[in-house]
Amino acid sequence: MIAATPEPPYYVVMFTSQRTPVDAGYAEAAQRMLELAARQPGFLGVESARSDGLGITLSYWQSEEAIRAWREHAEHTQVREQGRSTWYTAFVTRVAKVERAYAFARPD
């Protein structure tokens, strides 16, 4: 699903990851992080796709302060460490300010 974001400016955190073959607890942790992030002040939405072990998740935030608070959230920190040790062979996180956004939706 495409996230419904407000008019820019806002921020996007781009998380690109390469998975290991280990699945133990991954789906549950990913769902928990989504639910937890959605309750954080400044969270605007999320989009995610995965294919052949490569995943890209875009989370949208009102401010850099909101992103920083999410990064420092205790449970998120714990799951991030588990990702490093168990679920990912590599990942990169990028943060950008969205200056412009364009949309298209085919009428039903």
Side-chain angles (χ1 to χ4, degrees):
M1 175 172 270
I2 297 174
T5 51
E7 288 295 314
Y10 53 87
Y11 292 84
V12 59
V13 176
M14 298 164 274
F15 179 73
T16 305
S17 61
Q18 186 66 50
R19 287 284 314 278
T20 68
V22 178
D23 276 336
Y26 178 81
E28 296 83 1
Q31 182 62 36
R32 172 70 180 149
M33 290 302 98
L34 178 58
E35 292 167 1
L36 193 58
R39 294 197 310 252
Q40 300 308 301
F43 177 82
L44 300 174
V46 67
E47 299 163 344
S48 188
R50 180 164 296 283
S51 178
D52 297 325
L54 178 69
I56 300 173
T57 299
L58 308 174
S59 60
Y60 300 99
W61 301 86
Q62 287 178 342
S63 66
E64 290 185 273
E65 294 77 21
I67 295 168
R68 197 170 7 267
W70 172 237
R71 178 167 172 35
E72 295 171 359
H73 188 282
E75 192 173 345
H76 182 219
T77 298
Q78 179 183 18
V79 170
R80 189 171 54 245
E81 289 306 314
Q82 190 170 7
R84 285 184 172 128
S85 67
T86 307
W87 297 315
Y88 301 120
T89 60
F91 66 79
V92 62
T93 302
R94 299 173 177 100
V95 178
K97 185 175 184 180
V98 176
E99 300 281 346
R100 287 179 299 284
Y102 309 95
F104 166 80
R106 186 178 309 276
D108 289 332

